[in-house]
């Protein structure tokens, strides 16, 4: 496996791209996009069958006035993905710091700003709590969201790994 996607261009075409795109980061991004897309499709299906209710979404009408409409929960998917990505990385780093406390005490700045040290279960726990809190705030039942997200998360985990 190539650690940087840009290394493939050098091997295939003989030139080096100065912008390094790391394979792991690219695959994590693809995993997030795939999981969000599949979750949106599943939430739409569940909404059509009446298994999940509508959620209030704020927007603006034609004259620019604030307006709230009831929509399928799939309209929240991209926000949920952003929350999961942000809190997943923060939780991963937090749990890594806790796991390697001695190293953190020796060099806190180096460890926090290092590109390595992302613990899977840290990201899972913190992202799940943040997503569940947001879903609950928007009136989406968390068990139904978990049902809708499960297939996409499984595929996303496979892609990210």
């Amino acid at each position: 496996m190539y650690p940087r996607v840009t290394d493939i261009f050098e091997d295939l075409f003989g030139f080096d791209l100065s912008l390094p795109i790391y394979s792991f980061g690219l695959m994590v991004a693809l995993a997030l996009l795939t999981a969000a897309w599949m979750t949106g499709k599943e939430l739409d299906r569940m909404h059509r069958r009446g298994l999940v209710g509508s959620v209030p979404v704020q927007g603006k009408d034609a004259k620019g006035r604030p307006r709230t409409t009831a929509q399928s929960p799939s309209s929240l998917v991209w926000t949920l993905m952003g929350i999961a990505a942000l809190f997943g990385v923060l939780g991963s780093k937090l749990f890594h710091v806790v796991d390697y406390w001695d190293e953190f005490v020796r060099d806190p700045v180096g460890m926090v700003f290092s590109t390595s040290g992302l613990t899977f279960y840290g990201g899972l726990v913190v992202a799940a709590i943040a997503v569940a809190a947001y879903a609950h705030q928007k009136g989406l039942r968390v068990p139904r969201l978990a049902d809708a997200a499960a297939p996409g998360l499984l595929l996303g985990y496979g892609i990210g790994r």
Side-chain angles (χ1 to χ4, degrees):
M1 181 174 136
Y2 290 94
R4 297 182 317 157
V5 175
T6 51
D7 293 339
I8 297 171
F9 286 96
E10 188 172 357
D11 282 355
L12 292 176
F13 305 114
F15 64 91
D16 183 30
L17 295 175
S18 59
L19 176 67
I21 300 170
Y22 290 94
S23 301
F24 179 73
L26 176 67
M27 297 312 288
V28 168
L30 288 174
L32 283 168
L33 292 171
T34 302
W37 177 77
M38 285 186 69
T39 301
K41 292 293 186 190
E42 182 62 9
L43 282 170
D44 280 339
R45 185 191 71 78
M46 292 172 81
H47 185 256
R48 281 191 306 274
R49 296 189 69 206
L51 298 172
V52 294
S54 298
V55 294
V57 175
Q58 296 193 6
K60 296 190 182 217
D61 65 9
K63 295 183 180 181
R65 296 177 296 210
R67 181 176 172 216
T68 302
T69 59
Q71 295 181 10
S72 168
S74 66
S75 61
L76 303 176
V77 162
W78 299 107
T79 303
L80 289 168
M81 183 199 67
I83 290 169
L86 175 67
F87 283 94
V89 171
L90 291 175
S92 297
K93 190 56 95 167
L94 176 68
F95 275 56
H96 181 73
V97 165
V98 170
D99 282 345
Y100 296 95
W101 186 254
D102 295 338
E103 290 179 31
F104 174 72
V105 171
R106 276 185 264 136
D107 184 19
V109 174
M111 183 176 241
V112 169
F113 292 106
S114 165
T115 57
S116 64
L118 298 175
T119 306
F120 169 74
Y121 53 85
L124 178 67
V125 169
V126 174
I129 290 169
V131 165
Y134 181 77
H136 180 73
Q137 175 190 3
K138 292 295 183 178
L140 180 59
R141 293 185 50 223
V142 176
R144 290 292 186 180
L145 176 60
D147 283 346
L153 290 176
L154 286 172
L155 182 60
Y157 184 70
I159 291 170
R161 282 292 170 199

